[in-house]
Amino acid sequence: MRLVLVGGGTAGHIFPTIAVARQLAALTGATAELTAVCGSRDLDRLLYRDVDLAVFPLPARGIVGVPWWQLPWRAWLLVRSLYDIWREFGMRRPDAVIASGGYVSAPVLLVSWLRRIPSVIFSGDAALGWATRVMAPVASVATIAFEEARGQIWRAPVELAGYPLRAEFATPDAIAGRAALEVPDGARLVVVMGGSQGSLVINEALREDLELLLHEAHVVHVSGQRDYEALVPVRDRMPEALRRRYHLHDFIQSGFANLLAAADIVVSRAGATSVAELSAVGTPAVLIPGRFGAGHQIATAQAMAKAGAAVVLSETDLASGHLVRVLLELLKEPEQLKSLSDASRTRGRPNAAARIAQIGLRLAGCSAPGDA
């Protein structure tokens, strides 16, 4: 049995794909042949490097929100990707395709439909991205993580399954997370991140009043590679006592669940993976949704706020040190933090990867433990 998983372009698509792949290997006793179709960017190669999966990269790149003069080249890359995957599936036909959405999924799902290969597409946003909206009708099944997304899919059967997470989120260890950073018991810990590629607007908002926050809490700042080098001198100029409380990283790949579980507050974008991870560990969150794409992060953040699971700030709210003021106020309100934590944890679906793997196996004609 051959199963093809599709996830590339961002860590938000790659990590869930890897999570489903590992569940498939566990459910089939590692007898299934698993291939990951991904993008051709450096991040894709880095994140799949140590995973026991055959990897098939496509040159496809996103076409939404790019300057008009880039569209012809992006369109050509999409056509080339269609040709590459058509040829691959002609030579080695999979029994089923499991796709995470995003631009890499579009050519694979279209070819799967044309070749009558069953497929499932999964999404974690309250407002679905263009690839999921367009390609869900040609999929055999679509799964969602927010009830608000159900009405955005037509033709395909829809199941509320959650968003797949790495296995480490099933048993996060807050004590280990603090120990790894040498954060003392009882000290406040704030984690600030902006997705796998970082966020300039979040980084700048934190930088403006960083030392003020460091007087009250340890700060783990996952800045992304782009801004990391500019922040190193900022850290190095701090007084030693504050420098020891500022933990700057360009990216964190291992121990991330422990880190989120250890945090008193997490500042994050509202990407599907980030929100699912926060709900899995029940960490109070300040969400700052990006305005890019079709506004899917804004809808996801609003859904979390409506559930009482997060405080939401817009990018325009970050001016004049507002981010740090909000964080300092929350650190003084333990009851509000507990309420946010409880509501977030209620939304968590830690078995999402297993459920989506079971759907994929069912489409491939293979039953799996726990399938219904």
Side-chain angles (χ1 to χ4, degrees):
M1 176 175 56
R2 184 182 186 221
L3 298 168
V4 168
L5 301 102
V6 191
T10 68
H13 289 301
I14 295 171
F15 283 144
T17 300
I18 292 172
V20 174
R22 286 175 170 156
Q23 286 293 326
L24 286 168
L27 290 169
T28 62
T31 59
E33 180 187 352
L34 304 178
T35 300
V37 177
C38 63
S40 57
R41 298 170 67 173
D42 290 342
L43 180 67
D44 296 60
R45 289 193 291 269
L46 171 67
L47 297 184
Y48 281 115
R49 182 179 58 193
D50 299 324
V51 181
D52 189 19
L53 282 171
V55 175
F56 188 87
L58 291 179
R61 298 290 294 273
I63 60 174
V64 174
V66 301
W68 65 266
W69 62 86
Q70 292 185 13
L71 288 176
W73 175 244
R74 297 290 180 99
W76 162 246
L77 293 178
L78 181 60
V79 171
R80 175 60 190 268
S81 297
L82 282 165
Y83 171 80
D84 289 350
I85 204 67
W86 178 270
R87 187 168 179 268
E88 169 68 11
F89 283 6
M91 294 187 297
R92 303 172 66 240
R93 180 186 177 91
D95 294 284
V97 169
I98 303 171
S100 68
Y103 59 82
V104 178
S105 293
V108 183
L109 287 168
L110 180 57
V111 169
S112 299
W113 178 67
L114 292 171
R115 288 192 175 275
R116 301 297 186 265
I117 298 167
S119 62
V120 54
I121 184 170
F122 60 88
S123 174
D125 295 308
L128 302 179
W130 72 268
T132 303
R133 288 174 182 267
V134 172
M135 302 313 301
V138 305
S140 307
V141 180
T143 75
I144 56 176
F146 285 86
E147 191 61 42
E148 288 88 343
R150 188 179 295 275
Q152 301 167 42
I153 296 175
W154 61 278
R155 189 176 178 273
V158 180
E159 179 174 331
L160 182 66
Y163 204 55
L165 298 176
R166 291 167 281 175
E168 65 181 285
F169 281 90
T171 56
D173 187 337
I175 296 175
R178 285 179 171 264
L181 296 169
E182 299 183 351
V183 176
D185 291 340
R188 294 303 187 97
L189 175 60
V190 175
V191 175
V192 181
M193 58 189 189
S196 59
Q197 300 178 55
S199 165
L200 177 61
V201 66
I202 293 176
N203 291 341
E204 287 299 314
L206 176 67
R207 178 177 179 171
E208 184 171 345
D209 287 316
L210 175 57
E211 293 196 11
L212 184 63
L213 180 60
L214 288 170
H215 282 290
E216 302 297 329
H218 285 249
V219 175
V220 176
H221 186 186
V222 187
S223 66
Q225 294 181 350
R226 178 186 55 199
D227 297 333
Y228 176 79
E229 293 300 330
L231 287 163
V232 169
V234 174
R235 178 194 62 192
D236 293 345
R237 287 194 299 267
M238 291 179 182
E240 183 179 355
L242 296 184
R243 191 165 61 244
R244 288 198 303 266
R245 298 165 70 90
Y246 182 49
H247 311 270
L248 176 64
H249 302 268
D250 58 350
F251 188 75
I252 296 178
Q253 187 165 355
S254 61
F256 198 60
N258 295 342
L259 172 62
L260 295 188
D264 293 282
I265 305 172
V266 172
V267 178
S268 174
R269 286 298 200 186
T273 295
S274 296
V275 169
E277 289 173 346
L278 291 167
S279 293
V281 300
T283 305
V286 174
L287 298 178
I288 305 169
R291 294 181 290 180
F292 39 78
H296 57 278
Q297 286 203 7
I298 295 174
T300 298
Q302 289 172 343
M304 289 289 285
K306 182 179 178 181
V311 172
V312 177
L313 300 179
S314 70
E315 290 186 356
T316 56
D317 291 332
L318 303 183
S320 303
H322 188 59
L323 173 60
V324 169
R325 285 200 299 272
V326 168
L327 292 173
L328 292 174
E329 289 170 3
L330 284 172
L331 288 172
K332 297 174 184 177
E333 298 292 340
E335 289 301 318
Q336 184 179 1
L337 292 178
K338 184 179 185 305
S339 177
L340 290 169
S341 176
D342 291 344
S344 181
R345 188 175 286 106
T346 298
R347 285 203 67 265
R349 293 179 178 269
N351 297 322
R355 181 59 193 147
I356 292 168
Q358 289 165 355
I359 293 171
L361 290 173
R362 185 187 70 211
L363 292 174
C366 174
S367 60
D371 199 6

